[in-house]
């Protein structure tokens, strides 16, 4: 996992190194509320699945920090809850690139519905979540705060699941030997493409 | 200019993503489970060490069986505890028969028949502390063939292991622990049946093996009925194997007939030709686990729902069984989650969830509950000669039911359940 975190950071650092010096000097230096809201796709080995996310927090100058929550349907529906930080890299009056870095946890919101013959019970547990990449802001007006957002990020989420099965038996207590438990750990790495709006 | 630079940056990121990231998009699914690795021992070695330690702890009790003054208690897949019950108030563990894979017991005279995985052993128990294997019928229960020809599994090494599994959207394939039995075979009879079987013993109601005359009848898997000629215990011989029905769970002998309890109903087989039973009737009920016993006139079937049983019925069905070829429903009684049952005279005992219920069955169309015995999760009973033996995961309890309305506790033999 460390390898992939480093890869993600490298992506961000490369872009930052290329464009950091060109970042515009922002005129706004006071804290203000901001809300970034995206919808899009999580794309990975299993295919493309819908995802939405919202980050609400405070911005000052090129920085924006906030609390984020989302809904991701990749593999098993889940709710990422995270801290998010973005930094503007290139801006002009109406558009600009910015870096995105999210980190937090991933809560399962999925109930397995096994077939009756499987005699299986399942419990999902939360895991870590991170996401990093680039965004592009396109303000709808020169002076307004509303903007269209585009993002391309790479990230990882992990969920765990405990499955318990009970096999057929005829006479208890023999039944008790016919059960078993397995722990599954799902580590999913996806590219997330999103479009959204900023308020 | 800046817009162009921005677009260039996006282009670089997309190109970077297209080239580098595909390698980073591999999902990973790890599965951690407990694996059991079998330990094999030569059959000859097993046979020579069949006389085990009398003090062997009772940890996973299975079938119960009584014969004369002894209780034979199956230690699931490990052997048989022999308990001297001369004084039911003070049962004493007297011997332990080391029989790997054992789940069933049947006794006629001084010969104990026991399964050892797929093999059937005939054991002379004249001296219970020095028993002797007098014959082995290989592959009598072919579906339990876990061992190799000259070896049997005598233990399991438990090992937790983690493996990478192929990523997929559906539920991961789940494997039961290696060595987990997928069915059980056990000896069975009842007090009612015992009287007609001469020197055979009495077992609980959940059996899948029973002795009638010169033949041992075994349900080797839920669809078949095997017949083994035991007229000469030193020369056990296969007699027949027939397809007997669906989801068969228990077997019960009555009046030269066999009642096979299945999850769908009760199959009735004639023993007019004891070497080859033939089906003469059938009674259908809703899907449920279903031990069945019978007396001369009525059959009693408990239906239990649940995870492994399916269905939703929890009831006692009393069947009119005077003509076993035309069994019909007499009356159904609601229950909590009934399991094994036993009957002695007009007293009917039913393991039902937190209690053993005691009924006056003088009039089967109008059972009267006399009392309850608080034994949680009891799974089988044997009622014989005013002595009630109740098996539960926590112990063997004995009661005197001379007065069925005022049952007296005699003893409790504790079972320390093992974790498997």
């Amino acid at each position: 996992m460390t390898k992939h975190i480093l890869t993600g950071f490298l992506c961000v650092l490369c872009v930052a190194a290329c464009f950091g010096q060109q970042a515009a000097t922002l005129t706004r230096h006071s804290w203000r509320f901001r809300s970034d809201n995206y919808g899009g796709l999580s794309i990975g080995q299993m295919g493309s699945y819908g995802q939405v996310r919202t980050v609400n927090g405070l911005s000052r100058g090129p920085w924006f920090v906030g609390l984020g929550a989302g809904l991701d349907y990749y593999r098993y529906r889940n709710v990422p809850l995270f801290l998010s930080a973005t930094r503007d890299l290139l801006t002009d009056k109406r558009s600009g690139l910015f870096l995105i870095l999210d980190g937090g946890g991933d809560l399962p919101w999925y109930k397995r519905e096994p077939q009756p013959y499987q005699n299986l019970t399942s419990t999902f547990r939360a895991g870590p979540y991170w996401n990093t990449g680039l965004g592009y802001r396109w303000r709808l007006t020169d002076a307004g705060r509303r903007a269209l957002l585009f993002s391309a990020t790479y990230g990882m989420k992990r969920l765990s699941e405990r499955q318990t099965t009970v096999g057929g038996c005829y006479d208890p207590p023999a039944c008790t030997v016919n059960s078993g438990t397995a722990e599954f750990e799902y580590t999913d790495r996806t590219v997330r493409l999103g479009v959204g709006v900023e308020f | 200019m800046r817009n162009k630079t921005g677009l260039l940056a996006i282009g670089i990121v997309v190109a970077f993503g297209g080239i580098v990231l595909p390698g980073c998009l591999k999902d990973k699914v790890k599965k951690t489970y407990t694996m059991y690795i079998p330990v094999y021992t030569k059959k000859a070695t097993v046979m020579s060490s069949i006389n085990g330690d009398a003090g062997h702890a009772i940890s996973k009790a299975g079938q119960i069986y009584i014969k004369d003054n002894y209780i034979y208690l199956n230690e699931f897949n490990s052997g048989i505890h022999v308990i001297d019950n001369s004084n039911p108030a003070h049962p004493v563990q007297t011997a332990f028969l080391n029989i790997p894979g054992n789940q069933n017991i049947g006794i006629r005279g001084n010969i104990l028949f026991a399964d050892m995985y797929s093999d059937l052993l005939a054991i002379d128990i004249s001296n219970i502390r020095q028993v002797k294997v007098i014959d082995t019928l290989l592959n009598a229960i072919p579906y339990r063939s876990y061992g190799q020809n000259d070896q049997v599994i005598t233990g399991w090494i438990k090992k937790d292991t983690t493996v990478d599994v192929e990523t997929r959207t559906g539920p991961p394939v789940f494997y039961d622990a290696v060595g987990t039995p997928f069915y059980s075979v056990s000896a069975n009879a009842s007090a009612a049946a015992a009287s007609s079987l001469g020197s055979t013993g009495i077992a609980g109601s959940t059996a899948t093996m029973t002795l009638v005359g010169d033949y041992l009848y075994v349900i080797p898997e839920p669809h078949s009925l095997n017949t083994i000629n035991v007229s000469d215990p030193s020369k056990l011989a296969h007699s027949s194997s027939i397809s007997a029905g669906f989801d068969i769970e228990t077997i019960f002998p009555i009046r030269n007939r066999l009642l096979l309890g299945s999850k769908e109903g009760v199959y009735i087989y004639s023993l007019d030709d004891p070497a080859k039973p033939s089906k003469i009737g059938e009674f259908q009920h809703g899907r449920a686990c279903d031990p069945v016993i019978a007396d001369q006139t009525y059959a009693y079937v408990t239906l239990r729902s649940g995870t492994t049983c399916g269905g939703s019925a929890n009831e006692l069905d009393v069947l009119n069984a005077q003509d076993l070829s035309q069994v019909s429903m007499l009356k159904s009684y609601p229950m909590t989650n009934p399991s094994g049952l036993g009957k002695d005279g007009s007293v009917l005992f039913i393991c039902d969830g937190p209690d053993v219920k005691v009924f006056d069955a003088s009039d089967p169309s109008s059972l009267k509950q006399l009392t309850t015995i608080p034994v949680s999760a009891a799974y089988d009973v044997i009622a014989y000669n005013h002595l009630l033996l109740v098996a539960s995961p926590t112990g063997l309890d004995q009661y005197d039911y001379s007065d069925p309305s005022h049952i007296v506790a005699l003893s409790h033999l504790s079972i320390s359940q093992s974790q498997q």
Side-chain angles (χ1 to χ4, degrees):
Chain A
M1 189 180 110
T2 308
K3 186 179 77 176
H4 296 289
I5 293 174
L6 288 175
T7 306
F9 272 109
L10 275 177
C11 290
V12 174
L13 288 176
C14 284
V15 176
C18 290
F19 300 107
Q21 292 181 350
Q22 298 178 44
T25 303
L26 295 178
T27 54
R28 283 175 289 198
H29 290 288
S30 59
W31 290 102
R32 73 173 180 88
F33 175 77
R34 181 174 136 188
S35 176
D36 288 2
N37 305 279
Y38 297 89
L41 293 173
S42 285
I43 305 165
Q45 192 178 359
M46 299 184 66
S48 302
Y49 293 82
Q51 56 102 1
V52 293
R53 59 194 285 268
T54 178
V55 181
N56 296 278
L58 297 172
S59 68
R60 184 181 185 187
W63 289 98
F64 168 54
V65 291
L67 291 172
L71 187 60
D72 187 351
Y73 284 82
Y74 189 87
R75 190 187 296 275
Y76 300 127
R77 183 176 60 186
N78 57 95
V79 177
L81 296 175
F82 51 90
L83 277 170
S84 179
T86 71
R87 189 186 191 286
D88 294 337
L89 298 174
L90 294 166
T91 60
D92 57 20
K93 277 188 174 180
R94 298 190 63 168
S95 63
L97 280 173
F98 58 93
L99 287 173
I100 301 169
L101 182 61
D102 303 335
D106 193 32
L107 305 180
W109 187 15
Y110 179 82
K111 182 175 172 55
R112 190 180 291 286
E113 293 182 355
Q115 297 296 317
Y117 63 83
Q118 289 180 297
N119 293 330
L120 182 146
T121 57
S122 154
T123 309
F124 280 89
R125 292 195 306 277
Y129 166 90
W130 62 262
N131 182 49
T132 187
L134 271 181
Y136 185 78
R137 178 187 304 104
W138 182 23
R139 294 201 182 282
L140 297 176
T141 59
D142 285 348
R145 289 166 57 175
R146 276 186 284 185
L148 288 178
L149 302 172
F150 304 90
S151 68
T153 59
Y154 171 75
M156 182 280 294
K157 66 185 175 75
R158 179 177 297 148
L159 291 177
S160 301
E161 182 189 13
R162 168 174 285 206
Q163 291 188 1
T164 303
T165 60
V166 178
C169 70
Y170 296 94
D171 38 16
C175 292
T176 56
V177 304
N178 218 3
S179 66
T181 300
E183 299 275 355
F184 290 86
E185 190 178 271
Y186 308 100
T187 304
D188 297 327
R189 301 176 179 92
T190 56
V191 166
R192 298 183 177 100
L193 301 179
V195 294
V197 290
E198 175 188 316
F199 301 107
Chain B
M1 173 63 189
R2 281 197 172 153
N3 275 342
K4 285 182 182 176
T5 310
L7 291 174
L8 178 64
I10 292 172
I12 291 171
V13 169
V14 169
F16 180 81
I19 296 167
V20 177
L21 286 183
C24 304
L25 293 181
K26 281 189 178 175
D27 297 336
K28 191 171 185 178
V29 179
K30 285 198 293 186
K31 176 186 177 184
T32 303
Y33 63 103
T34 302
M35 185 168 67
Y36 291 87
I37 302 167
V39 177
Y40 288 97
T41 304
K42 293 271 187 192
K43 282 184 181 175
T45 307
V46 170
M47 302 288 189
S48 65
S49 59
I50 198 164
N51 291 289
D53 175 13
H56 190 107
I58 305 172
S59 59
K60 187 160 281 299
Q63 291 293 319
I64 47 177
Y65 197 96
I66 60 174
K67 172 83 166 62
D68 302 327
N69 287 329
Y70 290 98
I71 298 171
Y72 298 82
L73 174 64
N74 164 241
E75 179 76 30
F76 196 78
N77 270 343
S78 296
I80 300 169
H81 296 278
V82 184
I83 299 159
D84 185 343
N85 201 39
S86 304
N87 180 359
H90 296 286
V92 178
Q93 280 185 252
T94 304
F96 179 72
L97 310 185
N98 263 320
I99 308 174
N102 174 253
Q103 296 177 6
N104 311 278
I105 306 160
I107 303 175
R108 193 178 65 170
N110 289 324
I111 305 299
L112 182 149
F113 300 96
D115 55 330
M116 184 173 74
Y117 289 111
S118 59
D119 300 339
L120 180 71
L121 309 184
I123 303 169
D124 183 345
I125 56 170
S126 302
N127 179 353
I128 196 63
R129 291 182 180 80
Q130 285 298 319
V131 304
K132 291 175 187 168
V133 177
I134 56 176
D135 196 25
T136 302
L137 182 64
L138 299 177
N139 229 17
I141 308 164
Y143 298 91
R144 292 200 62 214
S145 182
Y146 289 111
Q148 302 169 10
N149 281 342
D150 61 338
Q151 298 183 97
V152 291
I153 299 168
T154 52
W156 300 91
I157 298 170
K158 185 178 177 183
K159 183 182 176 186
D160 290 336
T161 186
T162 300
V163 294
D164 288 339
V165 296
E166 187 181 346
T167 61
R168 53 206 288 274
T169 52
V173 175
F174 191 89
Y175 298 97
D176 288 340
V178 177
T180 293
F182 49 86
Y183 65 95
S184 68
V185 187
S186 51
N188 188 23
S190 76
S195 60
S196 66
L197 294 179
S199 62
T200 59
I202 307 165
S205 61
T206 54
T208 55
M209 179 170 94
T210 192
L211 279 158
V212 180
D214 289 337
Y215 293 88
L216 183 72
Y217 300 94
V218 181
I219 298 169
E221 53 84 33
H223 308 95
S224 309
L225 176 63
N226 284 6
T227 306
I228 297 162
N229 187 334
V230 296
S231 55
D232 182 352
S234 63
K235 291 180 182 171
L236 301 175
H238 286 285
S239 192
S240 66
S241 178
I242 60 172
S243 176
F246 295 98
D247 295 331
I248 299 169
E249 300 176 304
T250 63
I251 185 169
F252 184 86
I254 183 76
R255 302 201 311 266
N256 205 34
R257 301 285 187 264
L258 292 178
L259 304 186
L260 307 185
S262 91
K263 284 181 180 173
E264 279 82 30
V266 179
Y267 301 104
I268 297 101
Y269 277 77
S270 165
L271 298 181
D272 290 342
D273 177 1
K276 191 171 184 184
S278 56
K279 184 177 168 183
I280 58 169
E282 182 176 341
F283 172 79
Q284 295 284 340
H285 59 58
R287 186 171 177 82
C289 289
D290 132 340
V292 56
I293 63 168
D295 57 24
Q296 299 301 312
T297 315
Y298 300 99
Y300 301 83
V301 186
T302 57
L303 305 187
R304 180 176 82 256
S305 66
T307 307
T308 60
C309 302
S312 57
N314 283 293
E315 62 192 40
L316 167 72
D317 287 351
V318 182
L319 311 180
N320 194 330
Q322 205 151 19
D323 179 357
L324 280 169
S325 63
Q326 293 184 337
V327 173
S328 59
M329 173 74 88
L330 178 68
K331 190 166 182 181
S332 184
Y333 298 86
M335 292 281 153
T336 305
N337 194 233
S339 181
L341 68 169
K343 187 167 179 284
D344 183 14
S346 62
V347 187
L348 176 66
F349 301 89
I350 300 176
C351 302
D352 190 22
D355 301 305
V356 175
K357 289 179 176 164
V358 186
F359 293 92
D360 176 356
S362 305
D363 177 4
S365 64
S366 179
L367 295 182
K368 294 183 179 67
Q369 185 169 333
L370 299 174
T371 187
T372 58
I373 307 171
V375 182
S376 183
Y379 60 89
D380 213 349
V381 295
I382 294 175
Y384 182 63
N385 199 23
H386 303 302
L387 183 67
L388 177 69
L389 184 63
V390 181
S392 74
T394 55
L396 276 180
D397 295 271
Q398 295 191 73
Y399 299 88
D400 181 344
Y401 59 90
S402 300
D403 178 356
S405 298
H406 298 91
I407 291 174
V408 179
L410 295 176
S411 64
H412 172 80
L413 189 63
S414 185
I415 295 171
S416 55
Q417 278 200 292
S418 67
Q419 299 294 317
Q420 290 194 43

